[in-house]
């Protein structure tokens, strides 16, 4: 450590000469990483979804229904209290779902009221629906708040909210939504208002088929997550091996000098 005349630390030296040197990237156990990679790979092979079974579901009867026939907008508007903290939601683009954008006390929010969301709500952004800003409220975002720019809905039981979300996760659906949101320029797009949403028609299969499709989608998402974990593990192994070789070379040079 180097200090100036006022006692302020102005530089830090961390190298092999420094007795307090700390290796910034500890060596990895290669065998352990290979074993973990094999474990993930075996799990992936065992849990690969049966896509052929999904194809048979297309033979079932699908009926086109207006969203208004099975879905209602939810009103949980609350007057904001100046001293209370409110976790505020946003909805990511391209179907990535709701997230906690920030937390503010009521006195910091310009609006007088906000909607409270609950687990299982279907939600979208009126401003960015055309970019796939749809999602569902999960345990992580349960009890958060949003403005009227994020309408929330519940289905009547004949249609699953998760199945409705699957439809709105499709880029082809976003293009339909965009047709309702065309302004004079791209920067002045109209909002996807609730009556546009409620008047849309959606192909709806029997409830049993909805459940199978939702389950299949969740399973595929798990496979994708495990695949990313495998990639990350292999990346760590590769980086660690290369780092170890350079580290050994540095240590050897330090010993020789």
């Amino acid at each position: 450590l180097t200090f100036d005349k006022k006692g302020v630390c102005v530089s830090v030296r961390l190298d092999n000469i420094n007795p307090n040197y700390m290796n910034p990237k500890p060596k990895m156990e290669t065998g352990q990483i290979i074993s973990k990679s094999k474990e993930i790979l075996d799990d992936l092979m065992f849990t690969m979804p049966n896509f052929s079974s999904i194809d048979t579901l297309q033979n079932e009867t699908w009926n086109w229904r207006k969203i208004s026939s099975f879905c209602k907008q939810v009103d949980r508007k609350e007057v904001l209290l100046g001293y209370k903290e409110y976790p505020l939601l946003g909805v990511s683009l391209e179907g990535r779902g709701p997230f906690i954008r920030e937390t503010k006390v009521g006195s910091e929010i310009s609006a007088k009221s906000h909607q409270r969301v609950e687990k299982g709500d279907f939600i979208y952004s009126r401003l960015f629906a055309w970019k796939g800003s749809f999602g569902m409220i999960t345990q992580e975002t349960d009890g958060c708040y949003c403005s009227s720019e994020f309408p929330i809905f519940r289905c009547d039981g004949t249609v699953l909210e998760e199945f409705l979300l699957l439809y709105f996760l499709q880029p082809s659906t976003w293009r339909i939504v965009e047709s309702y949101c065309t302004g004079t320029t791209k920067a002045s797009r109209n909002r996807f208002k609730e009556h546009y949403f409620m008047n849309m028609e959606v192909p709806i299969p029997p409830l049993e088929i909805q459940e199978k499709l939702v389950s299949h989608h969740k399973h595929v998402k798990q496979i994708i997550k495990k695949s990313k974990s495998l990639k990350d593990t292999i990346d760590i192994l590769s980086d660690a091996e290369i780092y170890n070789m350079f580290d050994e070379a540095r240590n050897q040079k330090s010993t020789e000098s």
Side-chain angles (χ1 to χ4, degrees), residues 30-44 229-235 237:
T30 303
Q32 183 179 2
I33 295 177
I34 292 175
S35 176
K36 182 63 176 177
S37 299
K38 186 177 183 302
E39 177 185 332
I40 297 173
L41 184 59
D42 290 343
D43 189 29
L44 281 172
S229 178
L230 176 61
K231 177 186 178 300
D232 292 343
T233 302
I234 293 174
D235 286 345
L237 174 60

Side-chain angles (χ1 to χ4, degrees), residues 34 51 142 167 233:
I34 292 175
F51 291 100
D142 180 41
Y167 181 75
T233 302

